Amino acid sequence: MKNSTFFILILFAFIVGGSSCQSEAELNYIRYYTTGKQLYESNCQNCHGNDGKGLAMLYPPLTDSIYLKKNKNQLACIIKNGLKGRIEINGQVYEGEMPAQAKLSDIEIAKIITYITNSFGNQQGLHDAQAVNQDLKYCK
Amino acid sequence: MKNLLFIALVALITASCSHKHDKLPYLGEKELVENIVDGKTITDTVYQQIPPFQFINQDSLPVSEKNFAGKIYVADFFFTSCNTICPKMHRNMLKVYEKYKGNPQVGILSHTIDIKYDLPYRLKSYATKLGISGNQWQFVHGSKDSIYSFAAKSYLVAAYEDKADPQGLVHQGWFVLIDKQRHIRGAYDGTDATQVEHLLQDMDILLNEDEK
């Protein structure tokens, strides 16, 4: 009996100790990423797919880390205002129209960007609401 | 003795699990018809049949039920600019296309419900981008009056205009399986990968059924 109480105490100490090892920044990233996944599922996944592979030549994939890196500061604008015309991804030309998601708030867009740019083979870290707010001032 | 019982039980469970349907059900309306054969009155059940139709496909060519003679086919309703359920449906329909590609006994028939926008050249561009060539998968355009009632009456799929919807059009994502006699033999949620797996199995059953 005594032994098991001791064991539970040790376990508890590990859990508490372990979680406090995560910095505030890491926690914030996890918060963004987790909600970002849910927002992606309800706003983006129909076309871009659960694996981010898109659909044939109709909807472009989100697996091109070079495109996503190069256009990181335009991603918020693309989500908010939509995208029309030719784009080149992984050497393929896509020509279509992505609908605007004007109803999404800055923080929701930030969460989606954090999710996308850290999934499907991408690893770019947190992109927070403030960054999105800045991005949206300079839409092309 | 105990061992023997156990083996019998396992055998029984395995047998019941591996039991496969070798015939699909008939769906839709049915009617009892009395026929006189050799002087005796025989009651037959007549099942709902897809009526003759005429549409224009992605190559601006007419398509009718004659193009599906001798084929089983999967029918659905969609529109090219739809960004809700359609991408999911056609991501799944591609599995049907890939599996039966080149099989002369299998066809796919996708009806657009956006008559104004989805003119044949737009259907063609959509099909090409989806990676579809040839005429095994037909993308068809009909007239507005006919397509909604045709969807509801023939294939039991609801499709209609709705001003409250952001895209103005509402439709269900069923994949409807039709046999060579144009009877409805199955309906599967085209947005659900598991149900589409089921459809692929049922299509094999239906193809075998015709061979018997």
Side-chain angles (χ1 to χ4, degrees):
Chain A
M1 184 58 202
K2 227 179 188 178
N3 258 348
S4 67
T5 318
F6 183 68
F7 178 72
I8 289 169
L9 266 175
I10 294 272
L11 197 71
F12 189 70
F14 262 109
I15 294 167
V16 172
S19 65
S20 68
C21 282
Q22 284 184 322
S23 66
E24 188 55 33
E26 275 174 60
L27 275 178
N28 206 26
Y29 165 76
I30 293 169
R31 276 188 213 116
Y32 266 76
Y33 185 89
T34 319
T35 333
K37 184 177 188 329
Q38 291 164 3
L39 287 163
Y40 176 83
E41 283 165 2
S42 49
N43 293 286
C44 323
Q45 186 167 299
N46 285 341
C47 296
H48 292 291
N50 59 353
D51 49 8
K53 286 188 181 154
L55 178 56
M57 296 301 294
L58 277 172
Y59 312 115
L62 302 169
T63 52
D64 183 345
S65 24
I66 298 169
Y67 182 92
L68 289 183
K69 230 173 228 167
K70 234 165 111 186
N71 295 283
K72 186 156 188 180
N73 297 328
Q74 279 301 311
L75 296 180
C77 300
I78 294 174
I79 295 170
K80 185 104 180 172
N81 306 326
L83 186 65
K84 207 174 174 176
R86 280 166 70 97
I87 52 165
E88 198 180 314
I89 289 173
N90 284 337
Q92 300 267 28
V93 174
Y94 291 83
E95 214 167 355
E97 190 176 347
M98 171 166 146
Q101 304 287 340
K103 63 180 194 304
L104 292 174
S105 65
D106 290 2
I107 190 153
E108 286 173 320
I109 292 174
K111 285 170 176 171
I112 291 173
I113 293 176
T114 300
Y115 175 69
I116 290 173
T117 55
N118 292 284
S119 305
F120 323 127
N122 304 296
Q123 215 169 359
Q124 296 193 37
L126 176 74
H127 196 74
D128 66 11
Q130 240 178 335
V132 165
N133 191 273
Q134 274 300 309
D135 294 343
L136 289 173
K137 286 179 188 155
Y138 304 100
C139 285
K140 280 179 192 164
Chain B
M1 184 59 199
K2 227 178 183 181
N3 268 346
L4 206 68
L5 254 174
F6 179 71
I7 291 169
L9 197 70
V10 168
L12 195 73
I13 291 169
T14 331
S16 62
C17 288
S18 63
H19 171 78
K20 273 191 181 157
H21 299 283
D22 51 2
K23 209 168 167 19
L24 299 180
Y26 286 84
L27 306 182
E29 300 280 332
K30 57 187 170 192
E31 212 182 329
L32 291 177
V33 177
E34 289 192 342
N35 286 322
I36 296 171
V37 180
D38 298 335
K40 285 181 197 161
T41 310
I42 289 176
T43 313
D44 275 332
T45 315
V46 175
Y47 294 94
Q48 177 174 342
Q49 219 178 12
I50 306 299
F53 54 83
Q54 177 98 45
F55 298 114
I56 303 290
N57 76 359
Q58 69 267 36
D59 295 312
S60 299
L61 296 170
V63 166
S64 73
E65 74 287 352
K66 294 190 185 83
N67 296 70
F68 291 89
K71 288 179 199 291
I72 67 166
Y73 68 94
V74 184
D76 74 352
F77 294 84
F78 85 113
F79 56 105
T80 64
S81 57
C82 153
N83 52 35
T84 53
I85 62 172
C86 310
K88 281 185 181 172
M89 289 165 66
H90 282 175
R91 187 175 284 120
N92 285 326
M93 192 67 99
L94 270 177
K95 294 177 193 164
V96 179
Y97 179 74
E98 295 298 339
K99 180 171 176 186
Y100 298 101
K101 203 171 178 178
N103 185 335
Q105 291 185 76
V106 177
I108 302 174
L109 179 56
S110 288
H111 308 75
T112 178
I113 56 162
D114 188 353
I115 306 309
K116 264 186 228 156
Y117 185 81
D118 282 345
L119 299 170
Y121 79 93
R122 284 213 170 92
L123 291 174
K124 181 70 180 177
S125 150
Y126 179 88
T128 309
K129 284 179 181 174
L130 198 56
I132 312 305
S133 54
N135 56 11
Q136 188 174 12
W137 187 344
Q138 302 270 11
F139 295 84
V140 296
H141 178 272
S143 75
K144 180 171 148 184
D145 300 333
S146 67
I147 198 71
Y148 301 132
S149 64
F150 186 72
K153 281 192 192 131
S154 307
Y155 291 100
L156 316 174
V157 177
Y160 48 90
E161 283 178 88
D162 182 356
K163 296 221 161 59
D165 180 79
Q167 293 202 291
L169 291 163
V170 172
H171 65 118
Q172 292 177 312
W174 295 110
F175 287 175
V176 188
L177 178 58
I178 308 298
D179 69 14
K180 292 178 181 172
Q181 287 74 42
R182 304 208 308 274
H183 294 125
I184 303 173
R185 304 298 294 276
Y188 314 81
D189 181 351
T191 64
D192 181 344
T194 323
Q195 288 212 23
V196 174
E197 278 304 312
H198 198 154
L199 163 66
L200 293 174
Q201 288 166 15
D202 282 0
M203 287 174 76
D204 286 339
I205 294 171
L206 192 56
L207 284 166
N208 279 328
E209 195 180 285
D210 285 329
E211 275 168 21
K212 276 174 193 165

